[in-house]
Amino acid sequence: MTTQTNNYPALSSPIPAAVKLWLQQWPKQLAELNAFTLSLSTSSSTSPSPSYSSSSVDNSLPSSRRLRAVYVVELLRKITGTTKWFTPFSLLCLLEGIGREINNAGVCGGRDVVVENVVRRLMSVVRLEVVNSNGEKNANSTDMFGESSSLTPVPRPLSPPSPSSLSVSLSSEQSKLNLDLNKLTQQLDINTNLPKSPSVIGRTTSTPSMTSMLYGADGHLSRSVSGGSVAGVGGNDSASESEREEVEVKVITTNQLSPFSSLGGMGGGGGKHGKEKDKMSLPMNFHEPKADFKESVMEAIAEVRNELDDLHKKINEQSTLHIHANEVILTYGRSQTVELFLKAAKAKMRKFQVIVCEAAPDFGGHSMAKNLANAGIDTMVINDSEIFAIMARVNQVILPAHAVLANGGLIASSGCHLVALAAAKNSVPCVCVTAMFKLCPYYPHEGQDTMNELRQPSGVMDLTELGEGESLEDVNVLNPVHDYVPPELVDLYVTNIGGFQPSYIYRLLNEFYHPDDLVFG
């Protein structure tokens, strides 16, 4: 490893083993990470666990998935704030390495996509802080020639110049301008490793233009200028071919994409070795120490924490927009988010009736109905077999979410697919109430097996009732935890940032996560 200031080694790899070796300098933080991954590997994402205390980070996972997300944010905030990393690149390696370690621990048993989503979100925040800090630096600095970046007005001449003097003046100014632009183009290419459009070379504002947005997109077209005058600045027709602009158009792959270029461990193509090789292709501003950058990152992490604290409040504020007077609402099983959503509508003096499906074999609907009835809501519990029969008198279906997939599909409790099918058959709108930290970059390639788990068959079949000599050798008893609901069966997602149709989920995915962080290596 290379060394940095204060004799701390530089973290230059997102491999979990390298990250844990680097964290040995801070035994307390390493012990908390190990305790967290141990709890994750020995518990189920759906099983209850001790409650969470917001004042400190303990070694047990909370049962509420929102509190579990808060737990992860606090753990990463503590590790990020106390360790000695000096560049954004080292911080991204640290977060990615922790994300991989969490992912590997979750594969053993208690994998929860909420934990992965929090890491992705924080990595996206770090990349955004780098871009923002670089934009402020460019806006407040001087150019490469020592001149101020602000534009100064040029006084107009009192009388028009003669044609001969105008020709000589334009010729000399054109030559100087061509030389300066060529130098500036080369300097920009060296600093950013990005293809630059001639139309934005002289731009002094940090606000991105349409051209810069086009050249920073995935699969964009790139120009490389080699010598000669820049296009559009009035090149000489008599100039030699080597002095003219040579435009090479090529397709940039995902690994070459922008100043947010991949670290190589969490997404993109090229395989594992290609990922590790491309991690050094980040722009120089990712490898340079930045003043007050840690403070900016800690403030951004605090904002993510505040989003998690206020998400129920933001969701409940929309309750009267979707629940109307004298409606009959059907929901399935137990969900804290749905329960608070319905209670918020009741608190705003909306009168409605709720039908709760008992959700066998866990029967979470029983406790859900009891809580709603205690809040003064007219509630009725039905067996799961009665869902289709009663759907004709229902005005709206409200479902909980375990995860929201990239295609707009829904991962929910086992039995929700049945409810969605019955609602679609009777043209009843199906609404899902969820938070954005459940948004996942995965696609349902495995159908109903996507992100699913199988529990013990004894939950749906009492094996003790078998008589002597009886066996179930040719019987497969399945007890799945979740159902996959296709996006065409969901009409609306009500989230803490507003309501969205399933077809818009892919846009939210691009806003919350960076493309290079979608898949953990």
Side-chain angles (χ1 to χ4, degrees), residues 137-150:
K137 178 180 178 181
N138 292 338
N140 298 326
S141 63
T142 58
D143 59 16
M144 61 178 293
F145 303 108
E147 300 291 336
S148 175
S149 60
S150 61

PDB file of all heavy atoms in Angstrom, residues 137-150:
ATOM      1  N   LYS A 137     -15.174  24.988  -7.065  1.00  0.00           N
ATOM      2  CA  LYS A 137     -13.777  25.355  -7.262  1.00  0.00           C
ATOM      3  C   LYS A 137     -13.575  26.010  -8.617  1.00  0.00           C
ATOM      4  O   LYS A 137     -12.865  27.010  -8.753  1.00  0.00           O
ATOM      5  CB  LYS A 137     -12.900  24.109  -7.141  1.00  0.00           C
ATOM      6  CG  LYS A 137     -11.421  24.371  -7.371  1.00  0.00           C
ATOM      7  CD  LYS A 137     -10.627  23.088  -7.235  1.00  0.00           C
ATOM      8  CE  LYS A 137      -9.150  23.335  -7.503  1.00  0.00           C
ATOM      9  NZ  LYS A 137      -8.362  22.088  -7.404  1.00  0.00           N
ATOM     10  N   ASN A 138     -14.216  25.457  -9.644  1.00  0.00           N
ATOM     11  CA  ASN A 138     -14.079  26.026 -10.981  1.00  0.00           C
ATOM     12  C   ASN A 138     -14.737  27.398 -11.061  1.00  0.00           C
ATOM     13  O   ASN A 138     -14.271  28.288 -11.775  1.00  0.00           O
ATOM     14  CB  ASN A 138     -14.695  25.095 -12.014  1.00  0.00           C
ATOM     15  CG  ASN A 138     -13.907  23.804 -12.156  1.00  0.00           C
ATOM     16  OD1 ASN A 138     -12.736  23.753 -11.820  1.00  0.00           O
ATOM     17  ND2 ASN A 138     -14.567  22.758 -12.635  1.00  0.00           N
ATOM     18  N   ALA A 139     -15.828  27.602 -10.337  1.00  0.00           N
ATOM     19  CA  ALA A 139     -16.541  28.871 -10.416  1.00  0.00           C
ATOM     20  C   ALA A 139     -15.784  29.988  -9.718  1.00  0.00           C
ATOM     21  O   ALA A 139     -15.921  31.154 -10.087  1.00  0.00           O
ATOM     22  CB  ALA A 139     -17.929  28.721  -9.799  1.00  0.00           C
ATOM     23  N   ASN A 140     -14.955  29.642  -8.700  1.00  0.00           N
ATOM     24  CA  ASN A 140     -14.276  30.666  -7.917  1.00  0.00           C
ATOM     25  C   ASN A 140     -12.803  30.810  -8.254  1.00  0.00           C
ATOM     26  O   ASN A 140     -12.102  31.612  -7.625  1.00  0.00           O
ATOM     27  CB  ASN A 140     -14.398  30.348  -6.419  1.00  0.00           C
ATOM     28  CG  ASN A 140     -15.837  30.336  -5.970  1.00  0.00           C
ATOM     29  OD1 ASN A 140     -16.666  31.094  -6.477  1.00  0.00           O
ATOM     30  ND2 ASN A 140     -16.154  29.461  -5.028  1.00  0.00           N
ATOM     31  N   SER A 141     -12.296  30.045  -9.195  1.00  0.00           N
ATOM     32  CA  SER A 141     -10.865  30.060  -9.507  1.00  0.00           C
ATOM     33  C   SER A 141     -10.604  30.843 -10.774  1.00  0.00           C
ATOM     34  O   SER A 141     -11.513  31.212 -11.516  1.00  0.00           O
ATOM     35  CB  SER A 141     -10.344  28.622  -9.650  1.00  0.00           C
ATOM     36  OG  SER A 141     -10.986  27.984 -10.734  1.00  0.00           O
ATOM     37  N   THR A 142      -9.320  31.090 -11.045  1.00  0.00           N
ATOM     38  CA  THR A 142      -8.910  31.740 -12.283  1.00  0.00           C
ATOM     39  C   THR A 142      -8.622  30.688 -13.327  1.00  0.00           C
ATOM     40  O   THR A 142      -8.425  29.512 -13.025  1.00  0.00           O
ATOM     41  CB  THR A 142      -7.665  32.591 -12.046  1.00  0.00           C
ATOM     42  OG1 THR A 142      -6.628  31.767 -11.533  1.00  0.00           O
ATOM     43  CG2 THR A 142      -7.970  33.710 -11.050  1.00  0.00           C
ATOM     44  N   ASP A 143      -8.545  31.141 -14.591  1.00  0.00           N
ATOM     45  CA  ASP A 143      -8.312  30.184 -15.664  1.00  0.00           C
ATOM     46  C   ASP A 143      -6.833  29.830 -15.743  1.00  0.00           C
ATOM     47  O   ASP A 143      -6.002  30.325 -14.986  1.00  0.00           O
ATOM     48  CB  ASP A 143      -8.825  30.748 -16.993  1.00  0.00           C
ATOM     49  CG  ASP A 143      -8.156  32.062 -17.360  1.00  0.00           C
ATOM     50  OD1 ASP A 143      -7.091  32.391 -16.776  1.00  0.00           O
ATOM     51  OD2 ASP A 143      -8.704  32.753 -18.225  1.00  0.00           O
ATOM     52  N   MET A 144      -6.471  28.982 -16.726  1.00  0.00           N
ATOM     53  CA  MET A 144      -5.109  28.480 -16.818  1.00  0.00           C
ATOM     54  C   MET A 144      -4.119  29.554 -17.235  1.00  0.00           C
ATOM     55  O   MET A 144      -2.913  29.405 -17.079  1.00  0.00           O
ATOM     56  CB  MET A 144      -5.062  27.316 -17.818  1.00  0.00           C
ATOM     57  CG  MET A 144      -5.479  27.714 -19.218  1.00  0.00           C
ATOM     58  SD  MET A 144      -5.357  26.353 -20.373  1.00  0.00           S
ATOM     59  CE  MET A 144      -3.602  26.117 -20.399  1.00  0.00           C
ATOM     60  N   PHE A 145      -4.581  30.681 -17.756  1.00  0.00           N
ATOM     61  CA  PHE A 145      -3.706  31.759 -18.188  1.00  0.00           C
ATOM     62  C   PHE A 145      -3.551  32.827 -17.107  1.00  0.00           C
ATOM     63  O   PHE A 145      -2.964  33.878 -17.332  1.00  0.00           O
ATOM     64  CB  PHE A 145      -4.249  32.412 -19.462  1.00  0.00           C
ATOM     65  CG  PHE A 145      -4.437  31.427 -20.569  1.00  0.00           C
ATOM     66  CD1 PHE A 145      -5.701  31.035 -20.950  1.00  0.00           C
ATOM     67  CD2 PHE A 145      -3.349  30.867 -21.209  1.00  0.00           C
ATOM     68  CE1 PHE A 145      -5.879  30.125 -21.973  1.00  0.00           C
ATOM     69  CE2 PHE A 145      -3.515  29.955 -22.231  1.00  0.00           C
ATOM     70  CZ  PHE A 145      -4.787  29.569 -22.614  1.00  0.00           C
ATOM     71  N   GLY A 146      -4.148  32.587 -15.891  1.00  0.00           N
ATOM     72  CA  GLY A 146      -4.014  33.537 -14.804  1.00  0.00           C
ATOM     73  C   GLY A 146      -5.043  34.638 -14.836  1.00  0.00           C
ATOM     74  O   GLY A 146      -4.990  35.560 -14.030  1.00  0.00           O
ATOM     75  N   GLU A 147      -6.013  34.573 -15.748  1.00  0.00           N
ATOM     76  CA  GLU A 147      -7.035  35.594 -15.851  1.00  0.00           C
ATOM     77  C   GLU A 147      -8.250  35.198 -15.034  1.00  0.00           C
ATOM     78  O   GLU A 147      -8.531  34.019 -14.829  1.00  0.00           O
ATOM     79  CB  GLU A 147      -7.429  35.815 -17.307  1.00  0.00           C
ATOM     80  CG  GLU A 147      -6.283  36.269 -18.207  1.00  0.00           C
ATOM     81  CD  GLU A 147      -5.819  37.685 -17.880  1.00  0.00           C
ATOM     82  OE1 GLU A 147      -6.640  38.438 -17.318  1.00  0.00           O
ATOM     83  OE2 GLU A 147      -4.667  38.010 -18.166  1.00  0.00           O
ATOM     84  N   SER A 148      -9.017  36.166 -14.600  1.00  0.00           N
ATOM     85  CA  SER A 148     -10.230  35.875 -13.848  1.00  0.00           C
ATOM     86  C   SER A 148     -11.254  35.226 -14.745  1.00  0.00           C
ATOM     87  O   SER A 148     -11.331  35.518 -15.941  1.00  0.00           O
ATOM     88  CB  SER A 148     -10.803  37.166 -13.255  1.00  0.00           C
ATOM     89  OG  SER A 148     -12.036  36.907 -12.626  1.00  0.00           O
ATOM     90  N   SER A 149     -12.060  34.296 -14.157  1.00  0.00           N
ATOM     91  CA  SER A 149     -13.045  33.593 -14.957  1.00  0.00           C
ATOM     92  C   SER A 149     -14.277  34.432 -15.231  1.00  0.00           C
ATOM     93  O   SER A 149     -15.130  34.035 -16.010  1.00  0.00           O
ATOM     94  CB  SER A 149     -13.472  32.296 -14.240  1.00  0.00           C
ATOM     95  OG  SER A 149     -14.037  32.604 -12.989  1.00  0.00           O
ATOM     96  N   SER A 150     -14.440  35.558 -14.545  1.00  0.00           N
ATOM     97  CA  SER A 150     -15.611  36.389 -14.772  1.00  0.00           C
ATOM     98  C   SER A 150     -15.477  37.143 -16.072  1.00  0.00           C
ATOM     99  O   SER A 150     -14.371  37.527 -16.485  1.00  0.00           O
ATOM    100  CB  SER A 150     -15.779  37.368 -13.605  1.00  0.00           C
ATOM    101  OG  SER A 150     -14.645  38.204 -13.506  1.00  0.00           O
TER     102      SER A 150
END
